[in-house]
Amino acid sequence: MTTERIEINPAVMMGKPVIRGTRITVELILHKLAEGATEMLEDYPHLTPEDIRAAIAYGAASVAHEEVVLLSDSPPPAKS
């Protein structure tokens, strides 16, 4: 998934999703937010509030498309 604000380019940050026109990865933004960063716009002057929202939306969309496989705690059945 790419948007107007997020791009994936193999020549930039090894193909990780970044804010278009920067080397700021979606991963970095999400990590900083998870750590409680409150001054991201001051720390990264190239970012806009819309960029941060796009990174959050990208992360949410990525998780929404994950496949979850639940494994049983019981041992596998014996072969006969």
Side-chain angles (χ1 to χ4, degrees), residues 58-69:
Y58 184 92
S62 296
V63 172
H65 296 295
E66 285 185 349
E67 182 176 325
V68 177
V69 178

Side-chain angles (χ1 to χ4, degrees), residues 44-59:
Y44 299 92
H46 291 92
L47 285 181
T48 66
E50 293 80 13
D51 293 333
I52 294 172
R53 282 193 291 276
I56 294 168
Y58 184 92

